[in-house]
Amino acid sequence: MRGKLILVVGLATGYVLGSRAGRPRYEQIKSGADKVWNLAPVQQVAGAVKEFAGQRVDTVQVKAGNATKKAVRSLLHLDDTPTKAAGSKSAGSVSKKSAASTTPAKTSTMKPATPAPTADDE
């Protein structure tokens, strides 16, 4: 938040000072910046940076794409498996014992046993 405040204050200060200096001063600053930009050492560095970025753009695109896909899947709680039953665990978190079992576990339909009456209940 502090950085944003400094940026806004800097922009406002630059605007006020620039408007007071007027158009002639702006043209003078612009021509000075153009002279510096057109110097041979500056152009050599700019060319090297452009070449370096050109060589790396494919790698950066792939990495950015993969990171974006991973973030979206994480946000949407998606899994790599094509279908997933509701409430089931992902394939990576299933234990070896349950993964080896091919028959589903049967649930009991019997009612729980009631305790036998005691002498106090009679």
Side-chain angles (χ1 to χ4, degrees):
M1 186 68 182
R2 182 178 178 195
K4 289 180 183 179
L5 179 64
I6 291 171
L7 176 67
V8 170
V9 169
L11 289 173
T13 303
Y15 176 78
V16 170
L17 293 176
S19 64
R20 284 189 180 173
R23 185 71 179 188
R25 179 65 181 148
Y26 166 77
E27 293 295 336
Q28 184 182 12
I29 293 171
K30 184 179 173 190
S31 68
D34 286 341
K35 286 179 185 175
V36 170
W37 178 253
N38 292 323
L39 291 174
V42 174
Q43 287 302 308
Q44 287 175 346
V45 172
V49 169
K50 186 175 180 180
E51 183 180 334
F52 179 80
Q55 292 172 350
R56 302 293 189 261
V57 72
D58 293 334
T59 306
V60 171
Q61 284 178 339
V62 169
K63 287 183 178 183
N66 290 341
T68 302
K69 287 177 187 176
K70 184 177 179 182
V72 169
R73 287 180 186 206
S74 175
L75 288 173
L76 298 177
H77 304 291
L78 296 177
D79 192 23
D80 288 337
T81 57
T83 57
K84 186 168 96 169
S88 69
K89 293 181 180 180
S90 66
S93 62
V94 176
S95 68
K96 289 181 183 180
K97 183 178 179 181
S98 65
S101 174
T102 57
T103 59
K106 293 184 179 181
T107 57
S108 175
T109 57
M110 296 176 38
K111 293 183 181 178
T114 55
T118 59
D120 295 335
D121 291 340
E122 295 176 10

